[in-house]
Amino acid sequence: MKIEIKNGRVIDPASGFDQPASVFIAASKIVGVGETAPRGFSAEAVLDATGCVVCPGLIDLSARLREPGFEYKATLESEMAAAAAGGITRLVCPPDTDPPLDEPGLVEMLKYRARQPGFAQVHPVGALTVGLAGQRLTEMAELAEAGCVAFGQANISIVDTQVLMRAMQYAATFDFPVWLQAQDAHLTKGGVAHDGAVAARLGLPGIPVAAETVALSTILQLARATGARLHVRRVSSAAALEMIRAARAGGLPVTCDVTINHLHLCDEDIGYFDPMARLDPPLRSAADRDALAAGLADGSIDVLVSDHTPVDDDAKQLPFDQAEAGATGLELLLPLTLKWAEAQGIGLVKALAKITSEPARILGLTKGCGSLVPGAVADLCIFDPHAEFTVTRERLKSQGKNTPFLGRTLRGEVRYTLTAGHLAYSTDGLLR
């Protein structure tokens, strides 16, 4: 279908384009951006984007879909509908499904199942080790052939550093990216909150910042020794961010991301044992939160992620130290990006780059993805940057209804999402 999106403010962070224009779509591709239609183009449908921003579809580098294995928490259908409602057209899921993504057949099945709803495209991260057990390496070449875009351990550490080194050597041999969360298994053990004044006051077992920095030191050293392409997931502390800055200054091409929760919240948001604030890694201090927000602004942190982890009520509505870590986030990625940009005094072009062109670059999808240039896949998000809404359980389309932002009013509402030129979401409901 040929579609014209008109009257919108078109922003393409990849090219720096930012001006009123129309976007012309044909055969699932963008065929023109400007005031006049390409020669011979005749629109079969028109979307009016008056008052809205038209940008590339959002790309989320960390979103759990809970299939296979955890369908009682969420399903592919429910979470990909939530992604479309959040303007997300591509997402990366970690390998900690049940069973873990350590065999090509599992990856192929996940990609096949994810294509059926048609809301977004899923890019799986394959397991570095069989069963995520940290002992035997997976057949990464076969997993990559099945569709894995990187290899990691989700939030499960490899305790044996010899195994970790061999895994990074193997990955480097084939130039496969390695995505790791820096956390020392021993220093994390038993902890449920940031090891600081709040945890001490509440009597909660703490997880020190050293749990992140000790592991990060090892990971960076091994990346330097092996030449593996390293992406550090879910940086949570100012100290870890400083280590990444130093590594980059020393020539190590490491990238990293931060979650929407750690960008806006700190351990004080635990309040009186609020299980919604039980997250992994834990919410750190206010100083850490502020350092992460500044690091995202100055480019030290490449990407902002939702870290979407739907949790069922039975597992969440428990005493803080017993509640399951995680929160829903797909539908909050855009408004919380805008909230950060406003607080930092950052323009929309630079802010949207953190959730469009930058994740596309890390995924190696710079050609035809995360951009609005002619020839690119027609993945688009159309949102009203001024529209306010309150986060409620009823509003969230994700099966997971738990987030620390419940009850908060945010700004920036998605009106339309197009995936490969097809209308995946509109404020009138889901259209396929």
Side-chain angles (χ1 to χ4, degrees):
M1 175 180 285
K2 294 181 179 179
I3 303 172
E4 178 183 358
I5 303 169
K6 66 179 185 179
N7 300 327
R9 175 185 172 186
V10 178
I11 296 179
D12 182 13
S15 64
F17 186 93
D18 178 9
Q19 64 185 59
S22 288
V23 178
F24 304 95
I25 298 169
S28 303
K29 298 285 185 66
I30 294 171
V31 295
V33 177
E35 296 181 355
T36 57
R39 180 175 297 179
F41 183 93
S42 180
E44 299 169 86
V46 175
L47 293 179
D48 185 356
T50 300
C52 291
V53 169
V54 181
C55 70
L58 277 51
I59 301 173
D60 188 354
L61 294 189
S62 182
R64 289 179 169 84
L65 301 174
R66 295 307 200 182
E67 284 197 40
F70 302 101
E71 288 80 357
Y72 61 96
K73 297 180 186 291
T75 64
L76 282 172
E77 183 85 17
S78 66
E79 303 320 288
M80 294 183 72
I88 296 168
T89 54
R90 291 173 185 261
L91 52 85
V92 176
C93 60
D96 55 346
T97 50
D98 184 18
L101 298 178
D102 61 1
E103 293 183 5
L106 294 169
V107 175
E108 290 165 353
M109 179 57 70
L110 175 61
K111 288 184 69 69
Y112 172 78
R113 290 261 298 113
R115 278 196 296 269
Q116 305 312 307
F119 294 128
Q121 186 164 339
V122 172
H123 300 279
V125 172
L128 262 181
T129 60
V130 175
L132 297 174
Q135 297 174 351
R136 291 189 295 121
L137 307 190
T138 57
E139 295 292 342
M140 293 183 217
E142 294 181 6
L143 288 168
E145 192 172 333
C148 290
V149 294
F151 295 91
Q153 287 282 116
N155 59 347
I156 302 170
S157 304
I158 295 179
V159 176
D160 188 331
T161 49
Q162 187 177 60
V163 173
L164 178 58
M165 184 168 184
R166 287 175 177 169
M168 295 176 80
Q169 285 173 328
Y170 187 132
T173 300
F174 295 95
D175 198 29
F176 296 146
V178 177
W179 292 18
L180 295 173
Q181 179 177 339
Q183 61 177 11
D184 182 277
H186 300 294
L187 293 175
T188 308
K189 190 175 182 180
V192 298
H194 169 61
D195 189 15
V198 173
R201 173 170 55 81
L202 297 177
L204 297 171
I207 299 175
V209 167
E212 183 174 38
T213 56
V214 167
L216 182 58
S217 177
T218 300
I219 291 169
L220 292 174
Q221 297 263 15
L222 292 180
R224 191 172 287 110
T226 62
R229 279 199 286 149
L230 175 64
H231 177 74
V232 181
R233 303 175 61 243
R234 309 199 293 186
V235 177
S236 72
S237 67
L241 180 56
E242 279 305 312
M243 292 173 67
I244 291 171
R245 283 194 179 110
R248 282 178 161 175
L252 192 67
V254 58
T255 57
C256 63
D257 64 54
V258 63
T259 82
I260 53 173
N261 300 305
H262 294 80
L263 190 70
H264 290 285
L265 306 173
C266 66
D267 57 350
E268 295 170 4
D269 290 292
I270 292 174
Y272 292 98
F273 304 99
D274 181 2
M276 299 295 176
R278 175 76 196 281
L279 300 168
D280 176 25
L283 293 172
R284 296 294 184 185
S285 69
D288 288 314
R289 176 201 58 198
D290 295 345
L292 295 173
L296 186 64
D298 68 23
S300 300
I301 299 175
D302 302 273
V303 171
L304 181 59
V305 301
S306 76
D307 198 29
H308 180 72
T309 306
V311 178
D312 59 300
D313 288 346
D314 288 344
K316 199 64 171 175
Q317 295 175 359
L318 293 169
F320 187 89
D321 59 345
Q322 299 174 33
E324 182 175 331
T328 191
L330 288 170
E331 295 156 85
L332 306 179
L333 178 59
L334 175 64
L336 289 174
T337 301
L338 301 180
K339 181 179 176 66
W340 158 77
E342 183 178 13
Q344 295 287 322
I346 291 173
L348 273 177
V349 175
K350 184 175 178 180
L352 292 173
K354 300 296 184 181
I355 51 177
T356 58
S357 55
E358 282 297 293
R361 176 180 63 82
I362 289 174
L363 285 173
L365 299 175
T366 51
K367 292 183 179 179
C369 180
S371 173
L372 297 181
V373 297
V377 177
D379 291 343
L380 294 101
C381 171
I382 303 169
F383 68 93
D384 184 340
H386 305 295
E388 293 187 344
F389 68 94
T390 301
V391 182
T392 64
R393 290 174 60 89
E394 294 72 24
R395 180 187 174 88
L396 292 171
K397 298 191 182 304
S398 168
Q399 192 168 316
K401 306 297 183 185
N402 300 299
T403 163
F405 295 96
L406 276 178
R408 298 201 185 192
T409 297
L410 301 175
R411 187 179 300 165
E413 190 170 41
V414 174
R415 299 296 190 209
Y416 303 100
T417 301
L418 284 85
T419 301
H422 299 282
L423 194 58
Y425 173 79
S426 78
T427 47
D428 297 329
L430 292 171
L431 304 174
R432 286 181 287 154

